[in-house]
Amino acid sequence: MEYFKGLEILDKEIKEKVKTEHVYKVFNQFMRPLITNEEFAFLENLEKYLLEEVEPKINFAKSVYELLPLLGKGNYMQRLNKHGDMKYYGMRYELLLAMAITILDPELDLARVVSGLIFTNPLFLHGKTNRLNTILEEVLSGEKIGCICITERTQGSDAVNMKTLIEEHEDYVTITGEKIFTTNGPKADYFIAYGVSDIEDPRGTMYQVVIEREFEGLKTSRLGIHSVPRVDIGQTMMNSVKIPKENILGGKGQGYKNLFSGLVAERDTIIGSSLGISWLSLITALIYTNNRKQFNKKVYKFQAVSFPIATLASELVAATVLGLRTGSEYRKFLEHPEFKFIRYNAAFSSGAKIVCSRLAHRCAYESQHICGGVAFTDNLKLEKAVQISKLQEVIGGTRNIQTLLVSSVIKNILKQIE
Ligand SMILES: Cc1cc2nc3c(=O)[nH]c(=O)nc-3n(C[C@H](O)[C@H](O)[C@H](O)COP(=O)(O)OP(=O)(O)OC[C@H]3O[C@@H](n4cnc5c(N)ncnc54)[C@H](O)[C@@H]3O)c2cc1C
């Protein structure tokens, strides 16, 4: 895909004011009352690392993948699971990581979330073999890239009834099928893929396997998704790909359980990215309008400008409190894996994803409108924020599917008084 960097028309003084370092400063003011001292210390260190080590290497006209090793070097590919000597980890830290990286570069965070969190979490939880441990280390270093293959051409929301076939053999299985919308797929070294040995019984026969780029029968192609031009999203073709036993993450039936328990972590980190998009947009609008003058006045001084920003800021603080709460709930989910609690937690994270991903789009769109023409150029990150905000409602399951999950738990609650 072709990228180009356009002409700079942003006022030099405003360009200086709106730089990431200042966006982080304002962000931290909002975040300070919402998080603990330890979380705040983590956030400040992370921002320092991102500003010093990552931002100077970012080129918005180039794909994001060369930046992943820089995140790996700081042990920032994910923060959900303990890795190496990290002191701070857990879902609340993962949410802060997603917010801070998104503010820096929303496309980089999308690629990171898929490789660093959605790909590695099943390896942390279920990967027992030496080979899987090696793969985990490689992906956490950012040097190798992971992706996840669930969605098929005919099976989107109804992913359970997948058509990808697993053939069982004594020492290995083979996998055959087509997956689409694989984020990172065309660039990936490793693929977590799901398939079933009996399409009439997907729950009882689903496998979760790790495919390696070199395995014979694997082919990837890129889809034309123009809203995130620096991230490759593709089709993954598997033609009788042979998977050795050591690469089976979830055997017959276990694959289904792993798929569903993994979706909560996926939704939670998407909540973090959505909040990051909102904060990036709103703070950019805040700083820009506080410096841009029209009619001899800073435009922020017009109530028609400052009131919508204040209204969105109030909603965003509320959504951030809710988002952080999904981080605390996630810990309970691990501590109480009984079915009732899993259902509650799935619904809680779905409800929060509905709120946060819709708000991301509204904050990005409204902030762009509030700033005017320059916000449509590549001089500000607002157009990127608008484009990526649209994906947040679809990835990890559409708005309707999240609502379906919430409504089924509500139905259960109502049974108490039937
Ligand atoms: C940019 C991008 C990145 C993605 N990354 C990945 C990835 O890395 N790996 C992966 O496996 N997948 C990925 N996906 C796929 C994503 O998870 C699916 O697009 C999503 O689950 C919806 O499936 P679908 O597109 O087939 O829509 P469909 O399932 O065909 O849905 C079409 C419409 O019908 C609605 N609908 C469907 N069923 C119901 C129902 N029961 N009740 C009410 N409404 C319903 C949906 O909400 C939607 O509005 C990605 C998608 C995009 C766009």
Side-chain angles (χ1 to χ4, degrees):
M1 232 169 256
E2 296 230 337
Y3 323 106
F4 77 97
K5 173 88 188 83
L7 190 72
E8 280 284 339
I9 55 166
L10 183 63
D11 177 274
K12 282 202 170 55
E13 274 175 33
I14 302 185
K15 187 178 162 66
E16 174 61 25
K17 290 270 168 47
V18 87
K19 63 187 192 186
T20 314
E21 186 188 340
H22 294 153
V23 175
Y24 280 152
K25 271 191 185 150
V26 178
F27 175 61
N28 292 353
Q29 291 292 310
F30 280 104
M31 292 302 287
R32 187 64 198 93
L34 311 183
I35 56 181
T36 64
N37 290 344
E38 287 78 16
E39 288 165 348
F40 194 67
F42 165 77
L43 182 63
E44 284 194 316
N45 275 333
L46 165 64
E47 288 166 350
K48 188 169 179 292
Y49 183 85
L50 294 174
L51 289 170
E52 286 172 6
E53 305 294 330
V54 185
E55 189 168 43
K57 307 274 171 26
I58 293 178
N59 179 344
F60 284 104
K62 271 179 81 181
S63 113
V64 297
Y65 294 100
E66 280 174 21
L67 301 168
L68 291 177
L70 300 172
L71 295 180
K73 212 170 121 203
N75 212 350
Y76 288 127
M77 280 299 289
Q78 61 87 41
R79 277 288 155 154
L80 175 57
N81 294 292
K82 183 165 171 55
H83 172 248
D85 59 0
M86 62 172 60
K87 194 169 155 201
Y88 300 124
Y89 63 94
M91 188 51 92
R92 285 174 65 95
Y93 290 101
E94 170 59 33
L95 287 161
L96 293 174
L97 180 69
M99 285 187 236
I101 299 180
T102 299
I103 289 171
L104 182 72
D105 180 347
E107 288 167 286
L108 171 61
D109 191 62
L110 175 64
R112 178 211 61 93
V113 157
V114 174
S115 188
L117 186 108
I118 302 175
F119 176 87
T120 67
N121 193 38
L123 291 175
F124 273 113
L125 296 177
H126 316 294
K128 305 277 183 273
T129 68
N130 287 340
R131 182 64 197 144
L132 293 178
N133 280 338
T134 306
I135 292 173
L136 176 63
E137 287 303 320
E138 287 177 355
V139 173
L140 289 173
S141 75
E143 299 289 343
K144 299 277 178 171
I145 298 163
C147 66
I148 194 120
C149 308
I150 303 169
T151 309
E152 300 175 1
R153 221 182 259 236
T154 60
Q155 306 306 132
S157 304
D158 186 16
V160 172
N161 290 303
M162 59 182 62
K163 303 292 181 275
T164 295
L165 268 181
I166 293 276
E167 238 181 71
E168 293 147 337
H169 299 268
E170 196 157 317
D171 289 330
Y172 64 93
V173 298
T174 60
I175 184 165
T176 301
E178 179 198 33
K179 299 286 182 179
I180 54 169
F181 293 122
T182 316
T183 302
N184 296 343
K187 288 277 196 292
D189 301 286
Y190 301 114
F191 304 70
I192 289 184
Y194 295 84
V196 295
S197 57
D198 177 2
I199 52 174
E200 302 298 325
D201 178 20
R203 289 173 178 77
T205 69
M206 194 178 291
Y207 282 75
Q208 182 190 37
V209 301
V210 179
I211 305 175
E212 304 189 24
R213 172 60 74 181
E214 295 73 33
F215 286 4
E216 214 174 299
L218 177 84
K219 187 170 170 264
T220 56
S221 310
R222 192 171 183 189
L223 301 179
I225 295 188
H226 298 277
S227 34
V228 281
R230 294 159 65 234
V231 180
D232 285 34
I233 298 169
Q235 175 208 46
T236 307
M237 294 297 292
M238 297 157 291
N239 183 6
S240 222
V241 181
K242 191 171 161 184
I243 314 289
K245 241 188 183 149
E246 58 183 357
N247 281 37
I248 299 178
L249 257 179
K252 198 172 184 168
Q254 188 60 37
Y256 173 76
K257 291 183 188 139
N258 294 358
L259 171 65
F260 274 83
S261 58
L263 291 179
V264 176
E266 181 173 349
R267 281 198 288 276
D268 284 357
T269 187
I270 293 169
I271 288 170
S273 309
S274 298
L275 292 169
I277 292 168
S278 297
W279 283 115
L280 165 66
S281 309
L282 206 68
I283 296 169
T284 303
L286 198 53
I287 299 175
Y288 181 82
T289 57
N290 197 39
N291 287 281
R292 167 84 170 165
K293 281 188 179 155
Q294 290 290 286
F295 306 99
N296 291 323
K297 219 161 123 171
K298 286 179 175 178
V299 293
Y300 189 75
K301 298 247 174 189
F302 296 107
Q303 287 187 345
V305 172
S306 56
F307 277 25
I309 294 181
T311 307
L312 282 173
S314 312
E315 287 182 48
L316 182 51
V317 169
T320 305
V321 172
L322 172 70
L324 288 166
R325 183 63 195 254
T326 63
S328 317
E329 295 297 304
Y330 187 82
R331 202 169 42 226
K332 290 192 216 154
F333 163 72
L334 290 181
E335 286 161 6
H336 306 278
E338 48 285 8
F339 186 61
K340 235 165 91 178
F341 200 81
I342 289 177
R343 277 183 69 111
Y344 154 73
N345 206 284
F348 189 82
S349 62
S350 291
K353 182 179 178 268
I354 296 170
V355 171
C356 296
S357 59
R358 289 193 87 170
L359 185 61
H361 184 57
R362 205 145 53 81
C363 277
Y365 182 83
E366 293 302 322
S367 299
Q368 187 176 48
H369 175 71
I370 283 166
C371 292
V374 72
F376 292 78
T377 72
D378 54 13
N379 298 181
L380 291 171
K381 293 183 209 163
L382 284 170
E383 175 61 15
K384 284 223 166 292
V386 171
Q387 292 302 331
I388 203 163
S389 72
K390 296 186 293 189
L391 304 188
Q392 303 300 311
E393 280 203 288
V394 178
I395 57 173
T398 63
R399 180 200 307 167
N400 277 2
I401 296 309
Q402 310 306 318
T403 314
L404 196 68
L405 272 161
V406 176
S407 72
S408 77
V409 169
I410 292 173
K411 264 191 243 157
N412 244 26
I413 294 171
L414 287 175
K415 275 193 192 143
Q416 310 288 320
I417 54 161
E418 269 169 10

